[in-house]
Amino acid sequence: MPATIDLTTDELLTTTRAVRKRLDFDRPVDLELVKECLQLGLQAPSGSNAQGWNFMVVTDADKKKAIGELYKDVFFNTYAPSPGSVHSRAKEAPESEQKIAIAVRESADHLANNMARVPVMVIPCVMGRLNLVPPETSTLAWTGSLGSIFPAMWSFMLAARTRGLGTCWTSLHLLKEQEVADILGIPYDEVTQTALISVGHTIGDTFKATTRRPLGNALHVDSW
Ligand SMILES: Cc1cc2nc3c(=O)[nH]c(=O)nc-3n(C[C@H](O)[C@H](O)[C@H](O)COP(=O)(O)O)c2cc1C
């Protein structure tokens, strides 16, 4: 199926937003469209070309409801009061960043309140339990594992954008990872969930580039 939205590469890279408020919770998403985007994700790199990725796609209403309730609970009761949350950031952001920080908080609240209603959830998984990796090997093990699935997921999200689907990378359900594993029959002892990407058709398809902190704040050439 051809892409539905005509974007240049630079437009695609600058307008693939975390879509929460403009996600159509009531319009079903064809599973074939999700599979098509995942198929494109498989062209992403993985360490040693091992391709040890697994993608749990959730469409069942009862399962989404159960996961959505867990997400909402963690979001408002554990994450929101914590330092570094979008709620804390919105309170503490300097004047110049406050508008965006408040918009992100409102948007994240909206998704948390509606997570059970997202048409599709995609949970990228890696083999093994990352939280049991011995500390002395952890940098390589963690970056190798996550670096071998996150590029595929970002490709998935870019492909989704060109097909009129909006996505949002979320991670907070990982505080209830075992409960979610039980809901989905994921063997928790052998498989680590790494994220939960919400997927739905977008309301309108025009998205804008956003303001980020300047590259100069993050750039180091030849020495730190
Ligand atoms: C590792 C990671 C974890 C994230 N976890 C969550 C989450 O649990 N819930 C949520 O609403 N958004 C989550 N996000 C989305 C970010 O808030 C979002 O990417 C950021 O605000 C930038 O959005 P923008 O591209 O639309 O400006 C996460 C993003 C990343 C990369």
Side-chain angles (χ1 to χ4, degrees), residues 14-20 71 75 79 86 100 104 107-109 111-112 115 150 154 157 167-173 194-196 198 208 210-212:
T14 53
T15 66
T16 303
R17 298 268 71 81
V19 182
R20 305 182 185 94
Y71 181 90
F75 181 89
Y79 168 74
V86 291
I100 288 182
V104 173
S107 170
D109 283 355
L111 181 64
M115 186 58 103
F150 286 0
W154 183 238
M157 292 162 78
T167 57
C168 181
W169 191 288
T170 79
S171 49
L172 292 170
H173 86 283
T194 63
L196 187 166
S198 48
K208 290 190 194 139
T210 188
T211 306
R212 298 289 197 222

Side-chain angles (χ1 to χ4, degrees), residues 127-201:
M127 300 310 291
R129 287 251 30 102
L130 282 190
N131 56 318
L132 298 183
V133 169
E136 65 275 15
T137 56
S138 63
T139 302
L140 180 58
W142 277 75
T143 56
S145 288
L146 298 179
S148 292
I149 194 157
F150 286 0
M153 286 323 293
W154 183 238
S155 293
F156 165 79
M157 292 162 78
L158 294 171
R161 160 88 175 111
T162 67
R163 285 155 175 77
L165 296 174
T167 57
C168 181
W169 191 288
T170 79
S171 49
L172 292 170
H173 86 283
L174 296 174
L175 292 173
K176 300 268 185 188
E177 186 191 354
Q178 182 138 31
E179 288 92 324
V180 173
D182 291 345
I183 292 166
L184 298 171
I186 296 172
Y188 176 83
D189 293 341
E190 297 158 33
V191 174
T192 302
Q193 299 165 54
T194 63
L196 187 166
I197 318 294
S198 48
V199 184
H201 285 280

